[in-house]
Amino acid sequence: MKLNYRRTLLTGLAFMAIYSFWQTYDNIVPLILKNSFGMNEIITGAVMAADNVLALFLLPLFGTLSDKVNSKWGKRKPFIVVGSFLSVLAIIFMPIGDNTRNLPLFLISTGLVLLFMAFFRSPAVALMPDVTPRPLRSKGNAIINLTGTVGAIYALLMTGILVGDGKTPDYTALFWSVIIFMVVSILILMFTVNEKKWGEEAREAEKAHPELMEAEEEEQPQEGAKRKLSKPKKKSLIFLLLSVAFWYMAYNAVTSAFSRYATEVWELESGGYADCLMVATVAAIISYIPLGFLASKIGRKKSILMGVVGLFIGFLYVGFFTQYHFLINVGFVIVGISWGAINVNSFPMVVEIANDGDVGKYTGYYYVFSMAAQILTPVLSGALLQWVSYTTLFPYSCAFSIFAFLTMLMVKHGDTKPMAKKSVLENFDIDD
């Protein structure tokens, strides 16, 4: 059983389009709210948090709805195509609202973009596990994460090239560059991805290799009823989702507060703190593919547990420094690789527990817990930073890394059996 890299890259085009927009949104919208419309930090923060709050409700909803669709295009493509093009239409009005200083137009168009992006985000993420055999989903998720990174890098490059000087530059060219990127990506996906055929072939591949699959434990349904998860699988799902929340609380606390920590504790200036985060990001990107192969050898759960331990070690190491030193980057390399191990394997474990017809719903579950953690942890860690000390940041992240490790130990399902290979080179075989 081999991963088809071409197909996986094509299914990742929707994820790439999503990331190109979110990178632009996170970088530019706060500046527009502050500089064009004079909003203070609190109101700007509230507007920027709206997408995470909406995601708590909309991602599970649209993921579940896509599970119920059975069109000639498949389950996910209708949501991806319709949602992406509606998003593009709404994005057009964002720079118009900015340039004309029309706040209602800007907020309405931004709200519509958030709604339409949520419409196809869960289906877009669920597409990969739908068309990928279960034992190969960690490798597939590594590829998907790389495509997302390409989208984010594109947006950053276009920001540097197309955004002019001044406090309130014209962002029209930047938004249009993202629109064109999204349209081209989705058009390629629309005409190349055969969702139904690839999904059927993935299920056939699973049937041909039962030795790599988890034993079925679902309760047998009555005639016409849907198969239900067994109690052990439900227990594993609950602990796995708690683990997702805990490691996001650990990691996001550092990424959201590190700039303030570095300036207050290490007295770094001129954005020097960004180098540390860049080191972690590059380390994660480089490690995605090797970590996908590692998971196929030792399993997803062991890979994640190693990653959680690595987070703890990296955060503990960095927390010992009272002033900046280049050796701090060693800790961020450990953090980046560890986060890659978690990121590559956690989503495949969640959808592994799902029945084949519920992948969209379980994708929504994954995002509910990860988004909720990203909403909650800046508040909790921020309260400690303000009312206790900035030095609480890394102990806070270490504590939640421990919580994630303990809950992850309770997860007994969602893994796949390691695949034996005749040679190392066989790992790189590509199906036609």
Side-chain angles (χ1 to χ4, degrees):
M1 187 183 292
K2 300 182 290 290
L3 180 68
N4 189 312
Y5 288 90
R6 173 182 170 274
R7 289 184 178 184
T8 308
L9 285 169
L10 290 172
T11 59
L13 290 174
F15 202 60
M16 186 170 72
I18 289 169
Y19 261 62
S20 69
F21 170 76
W22 285 120
Q23 185 67 57
T24 304
Y25 180 87
D26 289 339
N27 287 343
I28 301 303
V29 171
L31 297 177
I32 292 175
L33 294 174
K34 181 179 179 180
N35 298 328
S36 296
F37 298 110
M39 292 187 179
N40 61 34
E41 294 292 346
I42 295 176
I43 298 177
T44 298
V47 173
M48 295 305 295
D51 64 302
N52 286 332
V53 175
L54 286 173
L56 292 178
F57 306 98
L58 297 180
L59 295 186
L61 171 64
F62 292 127
T64 301
L65 287 176
S66 69
D67 287 334
K68 302 179 186 301
V69 170
N70 186 21
S71 73
K72 66 178 182 179
W73 280 4
K75 295 175 180 288
R76 319 300 176 188
K77 281 180 66 176
F79 285 82
I80 294 171
V81 173
V82 173
S84 59
F85 283 104
L86 287 175
S87 298
V88 162
L89 290 176
I91 292 171
I92 291 172
F93 292 95
M94 292 178 67
I96 296 175
D98 174 33
N99 291 334
T100 60
R101 301 299 185 264
N102 188 329
L103 181 59
L105 176 61
F106 182 79
L107 292 179
I108 290 171
S109 59
T110 299
L112 289 174
V113 171
L114 297 180
L115 174 63
F116 296 142
M117 293 293 289
F119 181 80
F120 79 99
R121 185 170 179 175
S122 287
V125 176
L127 180 60
M128 184 279 292
D130 273 352
V131 301
T132 305
R134 290 174 181 265
L136 300 176
R137 287 174 178 172
S138 288
K139 290 182 180 179
N141 202 37
I143 301 297
I144 296 299
N145 277 284
L146 283 177
T147 61
T149 302
V150 170
I153 291 173
Y154 170 85
L156 289 172
L157 289 174
M158 290 299 101
T159 301
I161 294 171
L162 299 176
V163 176
D165 297 329
K167 189 176 182 180
T168 57
D170 186 350
Y171 297 110
T172 302
L174 174 62
F175 278 105
W176 272 100
S177 73
V178 173
I179 287 171
I180 293 170
F181 187 80
M182 291 180 65
V183 169
V184 171
S185 299
I186 300 303
L187 283 174
I188 295 173
L189 181 148
M190 185 170 65
F191 290 110
T192 59
V193 173
N194 192 331
E195 179 184 335
K196 297 191 79 169
K197 177 185 176 184
W198 295 359
E200 291 169 0
E201 291 176 359
R203 303 295 81 79
E204 290 299 319
E206 292 173 359
K207 292 177 183 177
H209 295 275
E211 74 280 1
L212 301 177
M213 310 297 294
E214 256 190 345
E216 294 289 340
E217 294 182 1
E218 285 79 9
E219 299 174 1
Q220 293 301 316
Q222 297 178 352
E223 186 175 353
K226 198 168 187 177
R227 179 180 290 177
K228 296 181 179 179
L229 291 183
S230 64
K231 289 182 179 179
K233 278 196 170 184
K234 287 180 181 177
K235 180 180 177 181
S236 285
L237 177 64
I238 291 170
F239 278 109
L240 178 55
L241 291 174
L242 287 174
S243 301
V244 169
F246 288 148
W247 60 56
Y248 265 98
M249 291 188 76
Y251 184 78
N252 192 252
V254 172
T255 57
S256 63
F258 184 67
S259 60
R260 287 169 285 162
Y261 179 93
T263 54
E264 291 288 334
V265 177
W266 296 339
E267 299 181 350
L268 281 182
E269 298 178 354
S270 302
Y273 56 83
D275 294 340
C276 297
L277 297 179
M278 181 62 70
V279 166
T281 302
V282 171
I285 292 170
I286 293 174
S287 68
Y288 281 148
I289 300 297
L291 288 168
F293 286 121
L294 178 65
S296 69
K297 294 291 186 181
I298 68 173
R300 295 169 184 153
K301 180 178 177 179
K302 289 181 180 178
S303 297
I304 289 176
L305 287 172
M306 289 170 56
V308 175
V309 170
L311 279 188
F312 176 84
I313 293 172
F315 290 145
L316 185 66
Y317 172 86
V318 174
F320 273 115
F321 286 84
T322 57
Q323 59 184 12
Y324 179 77
H325 191 283
F326 75 94
L327 287 177
I328 287 171
N329 289 317
V330 174
F332 279 97
V333 169
I334 296 172
V335 168
I337 295 173
S338 301
W339 186 247
I342 294 169
N343 211 20
V344 163
N345 293 289
S346 54
F347 172 67
M349 283 196 77
V350 172
V351 295
E352 184 76 23
I353 295 175
N355 296 318
D356 285 335
D358 290 330
V359 170
K361 179 170 71 174
Y362 281 65
T363 299
Y365 290 161
Y366 175 85
Y367 276 110
V368 164
F369 279 78
S370 62
M371 292 291 184
Q374 292 176 78
I375 293 170
L376 182 59
T377 201
V379 177
L380 289 180
S381 62
L384 290 173
L385 295 180
Q386 180 174 338
W387 294 332
V388 182
S389 169
Y390 275 88
T391 57
T392 61
L393 178 61
F394 287 101
Y396 172 96
S397 293
C398 286
F400 277 99
S401 298
I402 293 173
F403 297 155
F405 184 85
L406 295 175
T407 52
M408 194 63 203
L409 287 175
M410 303 299 293
V411 177
K412 307 299 181 184
H413 298 83
D415 215 334
T416 54
K417 298 177 182 178
M419 291 184 286
K421 291 289 186 181
K422 296 178 181 178
S423 71
V424 174
L425 291 177
E426 190 180 342
N427 277 299
F428 296 91
D429 286 351
I430 301 176
D431 292 341
D432 294 331

